[in-house]
Amino acid sequence: MASYCLTVSRLQHALGLGVRRLHITTRLSARGKVAMSRFEPNNFLNYEKLQKNIEIVRKRLNRPLTLSEKIVYGHLDDPVGQEIVRGRTYLRLHPDRVAMQDATAQMAMLQFISSGLPRVAVPSTIHCDHLIEAQVGGAKDLERAKEMHQEVYSFIASAGAKYGVGFWKPGSGIIHQIILENYAYPGLLLIGTDSHSPNGGGLGSICIGVGGADAVDVMAGIPWELKCPKVIGVKLTGSLSGWTSPKDIILKVAGILTVKGGTGAIVEYHGPGVDSISCTGMATICNMGAEIGATTSVFPYNHRMKTYLNKTGRSEIAALADEFKDNLVPDSGCEYDEVIEINLSELKPHINGPFTPDLAHPVAEIGAVAEKSGWPLDVKVGLIGSCTNSSYEDMGRAAAVAKQVLDKGIKCKAQFTVSPGSEQIRATIERDGYAKILRDVGGIVLANACGPCIGQWDRRDVKKGEKNTIVTSFNRNFTARNDANPATHAFVTSPEIVTALAIAGTLKFDPEKDFLTAANGEKFKLQPPNADELPARDFDPGQDTYQHPPSDPGNLRVDISPQSQRLQLLEPFENWDGKDFEDMQVLIKVKGKCTTDHISAAGPWLKFRGHLDNISNNMLIGAVNIENNKANNVKNQLTSEYGAVPDTARYYKKAGVQWVVVGDENYGEGSSREHAALEPRHLGGRAIITRSFARIHETNLKKQGLLPLTFADPADYDKIRPDDKISIQGLKKFAPGKPLKAVIKHKDGSQDTIQLNHTFNETQIEWFQAGSALNRMKELQKH
């Protein structure tokens, strides 16, 4: 490899470096293509400004600050006047950049186009990782995806070029791995239209998952609102060793906090144990923090991050981070709202599931638990990779396990798949022999994409409804998420444990104590895997897959055919008419867990992410109706006939009947997909009333002009019947902190009156009144 120096104009101003001139060294492959980071002039944080804002806030609050507070408050629009109360006030922030994956970017860019703005105000990128279906193998699956989704790829590529957004082509890799390799750095504030954006916390960044409407605000240069997070501290002592991996830390934390225990909080890891974790291992932990509902997770800057920055062509940033290190670690004596302590020396390998990512078990116990619970013991498929665990170190540790059994003449009993996190990872593991080892043990190397992790898996080894077990190194294992089969019992664990269980073919295998049988009949035990944290010969960049937007888009146009079934320009939602919502029909009273997968399924529906009307045909089809314990089966109160939820909603809309959804705890858990909010708005919904909401979904509902409301008394959920009509009163005096009233009219003529709480602030109430946040943005432009 050769190298060259790229002088970035205006960079010293962006970094607050005064007269110092900074040269960014970027590696070139033998083919002469840019191989590492893609830098924009204002891609970097102004550390001096960060420091200035931190000093202002620390003086105002008169106390030590946590790391997450430093980074978040360091990006305040008004550090002097902003009210700051953890868990209560809304902060106005200026993030450094925006990242979007191809499924969410469609709607985000459609909304940005609707805004009428000529170009994005902050560095932004689109990453094509969600639309590639795993079927036979990487190269063929990628070509198939390019053919199937050509219309969508063309749209987001041209929209990126027109509006100044970088475009990572299909095959580049998974958004979060690309961000870690190219854009994340200590002190960054990034928002991403994917719930696992917190992955960047492994490199000391505050990266927060949001909906597309939030991304539009930031791309427009408007201060972005975030409820001031509480801070949960996780103190790590001891050190990782043996079969225990970084994944086991977050699996343990998920078991402690549950899927909603982190809601409204940033999880901040600290303590002497941090230094035993690689940078990509920290990213794994932050990535899966999404499964506990956390706003994001972050680690303090240390030598492991510096090594990673140097290895990925960003040594100048590492040098700056060293210079400003005091701002990239927590203050001594800072206080957390809650503290969890984990001794890494005592932590054992974990496996979580099935059906929920917080059901934690030590690997040593899962076989007995599975037998007692009636879960299938045979492991049908082991799947490694995904945005959570696809680093060079992850692949190396999995290969170290595989190599041991290959040397004994045996292979995997289960099917085995490998999803590289990026083109750079794929090329490097091919060069260094890891990919061959994983293939030789029985694996199939899939495309550099999300694939089975998000349901993009053309699985054919079991029939729908057939009870079976799979183990993955993914992050999320909701019912039917990976393969659309509700009978699949999915477990999440580390890549090395997945590999061991795929080799053994059963959950009743503990690699720390159980034996395997070699081809010659000899009994042997697997040794704990060892692998390099980073490649000794540097990364192989692979193919150049990045398209930088032109500095002058000229007459570029973004065309959408009116006949398209995949893309549809947006029509503004109607604004509030100034009246209370009277006699709304209950569309569905949802029983139990209702994630965004239940509200707006992915898998085959991903192809309609750019067409609001078509994708609305999946609205709430996975939610269970409390009336009959069935999914996608509700009674049309106007015709007395049972039918699909979207069809019933469309019938009500056509008849001029407004409707409401009633939900249970942590409604909207999971993905950031704003389609789960756009669809009910599009089909005539006005309010979602629940016991509690997941953070991203609650914000998405507000952005689209819906009312996310919670029962003041959670027991009031039981008062609502599926055939009720609900009136929401008090909207003319709608104000922050002031509850609304709901009158529930039963068919027998009786009524109940209950109180509904909300978390709207004054700006968000303006979104509601205007019909959506986008409508309000347009109103403000006129002034």
Side-chain angles (χ1 to χ4, degrees):
M1 284 192 176
S3 66
Y4 75 105
C5 285
L6 173 67
T7 300
V8 182
S9 62
R10 296 186 289 119
L11 190 55
Q12 61 267 36
H13 170 70
L15 284 166
L17 295 176
V19 296
R20 277 191 293 172
R21 191 173 186 84
L22 182 63
H23 295 269
I24 300 299
T25 301
T26 308
R27 303 186 189 283
L28 288 179
S29 69
R31 298 183 297 280
K33 295 177 180 178
V34 175
M36 293 288 181
S37 301
R38 280 69 179 175
F39 298 100
E40 295 97 342
N42 57 342
N43 180 32
F44 301 98
L45 178 67
N46 183 332
Y47 279 113
E48 290 184 356
K49 183 178 180 182
L50 181 76
Q51 180 169 299
K52 181 180 177 181
N53 285 359
I54 290 170
E55 289 172 351
I56 291 170
V57 173
R58 187 189 284 117
K59 187 175 181 180
R60 284 183 54 204
L61 299 181
N62 192 30
R63 61 171 173 79
L65 300 177
T66 68
L67 168 61
S68 52
E69 287 184 306
K70 288 182 179 181
I71 301 174
V72 172
Y73 303 163
H75 287 81
L76 284 170
D77 179 55
D78 178 14
V80 175
Q82 171 72 62
E83 184 183 5
I84 301 171
V85 182
R86 285 186 194 170
R88 189 170 70 80
T89 57
Y90 281 87
L91 307 178
R92 290 167 62 80
L93 304 167
H94 283 291
D96 298 300
R97 70 178 306 119
V98 174
M100 300 167 278
Q101 38 94 336
D102 49 358
T104 53
Q106 295 171 62
M107 193 56 66
M109 292 309 296
L110 286 166
Q111 290 179 90
F112 189 82
I113 292 168
S114 296
S115 76
L117 296 168
R119 200 165 175 85
V120 298
V122 301
S124 304
T125 49
I126 296 169
H127 305 258
C128 295
D129 62 1
H130 270 56
L131 297 178
I132 303 168
E133 185 180 49
Q135 191 178 67
V136 295
K140 290 184 178 179
D141 292 347
L142 178 58
E143 287 310 307
R144 179 167 166 263
K146 287 178 178 178
E147 289 180 16
M148 288 179 63
H149 307 300
Q150 187 276 331
E151 179 184 16
V152 170
Y153 290 145
S154 177
F155 164 68
I156 50 180
S158 61
K162 174 71 174 176
Y163 295 102
V165 179
F167 180 70
W168 289 82
K169 302 171 188 176
S172 302
I174 304 172
I175 176 173
H176 312 304
Q177 184 70 24
I178 298 290
I179 294 297
L180 199 72
E181 292 173 354
N182 295 272
Y183 301 120
Y185 59 86
L188 171 78
L189 176 60
L190 170 147
I191 66 163
T193 59
D194 189 281
S195 58
H196 293 104
S197 297
N199 190 81
L203 201 43
S205 303
I206 291 290
C207 301
I208 301 175
V210 299
D214 276 331
V216 172
D217 279 357
V218 178
M219 290 191 290
I222 296 171
W224 172 64
E225 284 197 342
L226 174 72
K227 194 168 190 178
C228 187
K230 293 183 178 181
V231 188
I232 297 173
V234 179
K235 183 178 180 181
L236 303 178
T237 60
S239 60
L240 293 173
S241 63
W243 283 91
T244 307
S245 74
K247 184 66 164 279
D248 297 308
I249 298 172
I250 185 57
L251 294 175
K252 177 72 172 179
V253 170
I256 294 168
L257 288 176
T258 77
V259 291
K260 62 178 183 176
T263 303
I266 292 177
V267 179
E268 187 172 309
Y269 293 85
H270 63 283
V274 167
D275 286 341
S276 75
I277 309 169
S278 66
C279 177
T280 51
M282 295 185 227
T284 290
I285 294 164
C286 292
N287 176 294
M288 200 177 157
E291 310 323 319
I292 57 174
T295 300
T296 192
S297 302
V298 69
F299 277 83
Y301 179 62
N302 68 357
H303 72 280
R304 308 298 283 262
M305 295 183 191
K306 181 176 181 177
T307 300
Y308 187 80
L309 286 169
N310 289 335
K311 206 71 170 179
T312 52
R314 293 172 286 174
S315 56
E316 289 80 4
I317 301 177
L320 280 169
D322 282 344
E323 187 175 335
F324 289 88
K325 184 175 180 178
D326 287 348
N327 297 320
L328 306 174
V329 296
D331 285 341
S332 177
C334 67
E335 294 187 1
Y336 299 98
D337 294 285
E338 178 182 354
V339 176
I340 296 167
E341 187 165 338
I342 298 175
N343 185 336
L344 303 183
S345 300
E346 297 174 355
L347 184 64
K348 289 293 186 180
H350 271 60
I351 182 168
N352 289 20
F355 306 124
T356 185
D358 59 347
L359 187 56
H361 323 271
V363 170
E365 299 173 11
I366 188 62
V369 174
E371 276 189 317
K372 184 178 179 181
S373 303
W375 303 333
L377 289 172
D378 289 346
V379 174
K380 289 286 187 181
V381 191
L383 306 100
I384 66 170
S386 88
C387 65
T388 320
N389 279 107
S390 56
S391 69
Y392 184 81
E393 181 182 35
D394 287 329
M395 296 300 170
R397 285 174 68 89
V401 175
K403 180 71 164 57
Q404 293 181 56
V405 301
L406 286 173
D407 289 346
K408 297 293 185 178
I410 61 174
K411 296 184 177 183
C412 291
K413 289 185 179 179
Q415 293 182 44
F416 187 49
T417 71
V418 180
S419 297
S422 68
E423 170 60 10
Q424 182 165 270
I425 293 295
R426 182 208 63 78
T428 307
I429 66 172
E430 288 286 0
R431 181 198 69 193
D432 292 354
Y434 291 166
K436 183 179 187 304
I437 292 171
L438 295 172
R439 286 194 191 94
D440 288 349
V441 83
I444 297 173
V445 178
L446 301 173
N448 314 321
C450 302
C453 183
I454 61 159
Q456 285 285 59
W457 183 16
D458 184 19
R459 188 181 182 191
R460 299 180 180 181
D461 63 302
V462 296
K463 295 178 181 178
K464 192 168 183 177
E466 184 180 339
K467 203 172 174 182
N468 74 102
T469 284
I470 64 172
V471 291
T472 82
S473 70
F474 304 161
N475 43 42
R476 199 164 277 167
N477 59 344
F478 301 147
T479 302
R481 177 175 174 85
N482 302 121
D483 61 1
N485 180 6
T488 293
H489 292 55
F491 297 84
V492 291
T493 186
S494 67
E496 50 267 49
I497 294 295
V498 170
T499 307
L501 294 180
I503 290 165
T506 176
L507 288 179
K508 289 191 71 175
F509 179 72
D510 177 3
E512 290 191 304
K513 66 177 184 180
D514 292 335
F515 288 80
L516 295 169
T517 303
N520 64 3
E522 172 195 351
K523 298 287 185 181
F524 71 99
K525 196 165 77 167
L526 293 171
Q527 297 304 305
N530 286 307
D532 290 339
E533 177 180 343
L534 293 164
R537 290 190 285 163
D538 292 334
F539 283 105
D540 182 335
Q543 300 180 41
D544 183 13
T545 54
Y546 176 71
Q547 170 188 296
H548 195 73
S551 57
D552 180 7
N555 296 319
L556 283 176
R557 295 187 60 188
V558 181
D559 291 324
I560 298 175
S561 168
Q563 286 75 46
S564 174
Q565 294 301 301
R566 306 250 347 230
L567 299 163
Q568 179 187 49
L569 288 171
L570 297 174
E571 293 292 331
F573 293 129
E574 73 282 1
N575 60 8
W576 176 54
D577 63 7
K579 301 176 183 177
D580 287 340
F581 294 149
E582 297 289 346
D583 293 334
M584 293 185 295
Q585 196 68 60
V586 174
L587 175 66
I588 182 172
K589 182 179 178 182
V590 178
K591 179 181 179 181
K593 185 186 281 278
C594 189
T595 71
T596 47
D597 278 16
H598 295 89
I599 304 167
S600 177
W605 291 95
L606 283 172
K607 62 178 175 286
F608 295 126
R609 283 285 182 89
H611 197 293
L612 179 55
D613 194 57
N614 281 346
I615 199 168
S616 292
N617 289 322
N618 79 356
M619 186 191 73
L620 287 159
I621 61 174
V624 175
N625 180 6
I626 198 169
E627 181 185 14
N628 55 15
N629 287 320
K630 293 181 179 179
N632 202 26
N633 187 267
V634 294
K635 185 176 183 180
N636 183 324
Q637 300 299 329
L638 302 182
T639 65
S640 297
E641 296 178 355
Y642 282 84
V645 180
D647 295 344
T648 306
R650 287 185 188 276
Y651 191 98
Y652 289 160
K653 182 179 179 181
K654 188 175 181 180
V657 174
Q658 296 179 332
W659 50 263
V660 61
V661 170
V662 177
D664 210 320
E665 294 277 4
N666 206 32
Y667 184 90
E669 171 192 343
S671 170
S672 68
R673 67 192 65 159
E674 65 183 339
H675 296 78
L678 281 160
E679 293 172 29
R681 183 74 165 101
H682 175 63
L683 295 185
R686 299 306 303 172
I688 313 292
I689 305 171
T690 71
R691 283 179 163 141
S692 64
F693 286 98
R695 175 190 64 85
I696 300 176
H697 186 59
E698 181 180 25
T699 301
N700 285 346
L701 291 167
K702 292 177 182 178
K703 286 278 185 177
Q704 302 307 333
L706 281 150
L707 287 176
L709 305 170
T710 56
F711 297 105
D713 179 357
D716 286 343
Y717 168 88
D718 298 319
K719 292 180 179 177
I720 297 178
R721 306 167 191 169
D723 57 358
D724 284 343
K725 290 185 178 180
I726 299 177
S727 298
I728 296 176
Q729 300 175 350
L731 292 176
K732 292 180 181 179
K733 295 182 180 180
F734 194 11
K738 185 178 180 180
L740 296 169
K741 184 171 73 172
V743 178
I744 307 165
K745 299 178 182 177
H746 307 299
K747 273 211 166 177
D748 61 10
S750 62
Q751 293 186 3
D752 283 300
T753 300
I754 62 173
Q755 182 175 295
L756 299 175
N757 293 337
H758 66 84
T759 61
F760 281 81
N761 61 24
E762 290 179 357
T763 299
Q764 294 167 348
I765 290 172
E766 290 174 354
W767 300 343
F768 166 74
Q769 292 168 340
S772 69
L774 189 58
N775 288 358
R776 181 57 180 157
M777 183 192 298
K778 291 180 180 178
E779 288 178 358
L780 293 172
Q781 285 181 49
K782 294 175 183 177
H783 298 112

